[in-house]
Amino acid sequence: MFFSLPNAIICLITGWLWLQLFFFGVKKFFSCFGRGNTVATKRDIKVVHDVISRQYRELGPMSFAEKVVLFNFIFLVALWLFRSPNFIPGWADLFPEGYATDGTAAIFVATLLFVWPSERPNFLCLASPSDTSKPGPKATVITWSTIHEKLPWSVVFLMGGGYALADGVTKSGLSNDIADLLIGLQALPSWLLIGLICLMVAALTEFASNTATATIMIPILAQMAETLCIHPYYLMYPATIASSFAFMLPVATPPNAIVFSYNLVKISDMAKVGVVMNLLCVIIVTVFVNTYGYYVFGWSEFPEWGVTNPSNHSCFEATKNDTSRLL
C-alpha cells in the first residue's frame, strides 16, 4: 500500500488532466480555472449539474437490501484489513497458520448474503410500525437461482484458467527458459529495463485480463530477477501495477466494455486516449520505482529468499561487488 497508493493517486490525477486536455482542448481546460467563465461554459456546467441531480433523485432512498449489501461490503473490507495487520494481532491468529486467507473472508461474507433477508423483518422489535403483514420468513438477499442465472461463470473460469496457466508456466520450466532468453537485457540501464517490462505487460493486458497477465508474468520476472541478480520486487512491483494499465481496448477490462456498450465512445477514441495514458503511467511507475521505491524498500541488495537454487550464491557476490547498477 505504501508503494502502490501514492503511485495510483499520481496516475489518477495525470489521467484526469490528459482526458480534460484531449476532450475539451487546452483553451477550454484552462478557462475552467479562470475567473471569466463564458456564458456557454456556465450553461454546460448547469446542464451537467441538472442531469446528475435528476439521476440522483431517481435513485430514491436506500432500500433495506442495499443497506445490507453495504454493511456486508464494509464488513468484508474490515476482515481483509484486520486478517493479519502485523502491527496488532489479527483474527487469523485464532486459527492454525495458513488456515484463514482473504478467500476465507470473501466466502464467509458471500454465505451471509444467503442468510440476510432482503426486506426488513416483521417480528418482535424489528417490525416496522407501518408493517401490518403477518410475521414470516423473508426472501434472502441472494438465492441460488440468482447465482446460477446471473453470475458470470466465464469470468470465474477465466481467472481460474489464468492461475492454472501461471502454475503451468512455473512447473514446466517455461519461466526459466524465458528468463534465460531475457538475459541480454542485463546490459540495459535499470530505468530502461523497468520501462520495457512495463510496456510489455501493459501491451499484453490489453488482450488478457490483468489477473491472467500478472499470474503469467510474475513467475517469469521472479526467475529473471534471480538470473540478473536483481531484487525480485524491483521487477515484480512495477509489472504488477502495469498489468492494470488497460486503457486502450474494450476487451481489455470489464469497465472498458461497460463504457463501450453504451455506443457513446468509439474504439478509435479509446485507443488514441489509452495509448497516451499507458505511456504516461509507465513513465510514472518507472520514475517511482527508481526513486521512492528503490530507496524506501532497499532494493539494492539481492535477498536470500530470492534464490530458488540453494547452491547458487553468485547473486550475493554480484550484489556486493556492484550495487550501483540499479542507480
Side-chain angles (χ1 to χ4, degrees):
M1 184 179 71
F2 291 104
F3 178 81
S4 303
L5 184 59
N7 203 320
I9 293 175
I10 296 175
C11 288
L12 177 63
I13 296 175
T14 304
W16 178 81
L17 291 173
W18 164 240
L19 291 175
Q20 297 293 318
L21 290 172
F22 181 84
F23 287 104
F24 294 110
V26 178
K27 184 177 179 180
K28 192 171 184 178
F29 171 74
F30 285 104
S31 68
C32 295
F33 298 95
R35 296 181 179 179
N37 289 332
T38 62
V39 177
T41 303
K42 293 181 178 179
R43 184 169 59 249
D44 293 341
I45 295 175
K46 185 177 184 305
V47 170
V48 173
H49 180 271
D50 292 341
V51 171
I52 295 176
S53 299
R54 185 180 69 254
Q55 292 182 347
Y56 179 76
R57 289 194 300 269
E58 290 176 355
L59 291 176
M62 290 186 64
S63 64
F64 182 83
E66 291 172 337
K67 294 178 181 178
V68 167
V69 173
L70 177 61
F71 170 78
N72 281 272
F73 175 75
I74 297 174
F75 181 50
L76 174 60
V77 173
L79 290 177
W80 281 339
L81 292 176
F82 294 99
R83 180 176 64 86
S84 296
N86 295 327
F87 60 91
I88 59 173
W91 60 267
D93 297 335
L94 301 175
F95 303 94
E97 184 177 357
Y99 186 84
T101 63
D102 289 340
T104 306
I107 294 298
F108 175 69
V109 173
T111 304
L112 288 180
L113 294 178
F114 284 92
V115 179
W116 277 92
S118 59
E119 299 178 7
R120 181 173 176 174
N122 58 349
F123 64 92
L124 301 179
C125 60
L126 298 177
S128 174
S130 59
D131 190 357
T132 58
S133 60
K134 294 182 179 180
K138 301 287 185 179
T140 56
V141 175
I142 292 181
T143 60
W144 178 248
S145 60
T146 303
I147 294 293
H148 178 71
E149 296 174 1
K150 297 186 177 181
L151 182 69
W153 293 101
S154 58
V155 176
V156 176
F157 287 114
L158 177 64
M159 296 182 64
Y163 290 121
L165 183 60
D167 189 61
V169 168
T170 304
K171 295 294 181 59
S172 65
L174 179 60
S175 60
N176 298 337
D177 296 337
I178 296 177
D180 292 338
L181 293 175
L182 298 176
I183 191 66
L185 297 177
Q186 63 181 345
L188 298 176
S190 61
W191 62 269
L192 183 57
L193 175 63
I194 294 298
L196 290 176
I197 290 175
C198 290
L199 285 175
M200 180 174 60
V201 173
L204 179 60
T205 197
E206 296 293 343
F207 305 97
S209 66
N210 54 354
T211 303
T213 301
T215 50
I216 292 173
M217 292 301 300
I218 292 304
I220 296 174
L221 294 176
Q223 186 62 41
M224 179 181 173
E226 182 179 358
T227 304
L228 300 179
C229 295
I230 299 176
H231 197 295
Y233 287 169
Y234 184 73
L235 301 180
M236 295 163 62
Y237 270 42
T240 303
I241 296 176
S243 65
S244 297
F245 294 163
F247 305 127
M248 292 179 59
L249 301 176
V251 298
T253 185
N256 290 13
I258 293 173
V259 172
F260 182 74
S261 64
Y262 284 93
N263 297 323
L264 299 176
V265 180
K266 299 179 181 178
I267 295 181
S268 58
D269 291 335
M270 295 183 67
K272 287 186 291 186
V273 175
V275 67
V276 177
M277 286 195 62
N278 278 355
L279 292 175
L280 291 174
C281 291
V282 166
I283 293 174
I284 292 172
V285 171
T286 302
V287 173
F288 219 73
V289 169
N290 288 280
T291 53
Y292 174 79
Y294 177 80
Y295 292 104
V296 171
F297 295 101
W299 290 338
S300 59
E301 297 183 359
F302 189 85
E304 295 183 3
W305 54 263
V307 179
T308 56
N309 185 4
S311 62
N312 182 11
H313 298 284
S314 60
C315 287
F316 300 109
E317 297 297 330
T319 303
K320 293 178 180 178
N321 297 332
D322 183 18
T323 58
S324 62
R325 179 182 176 275
L326 298 178
L327 293 177

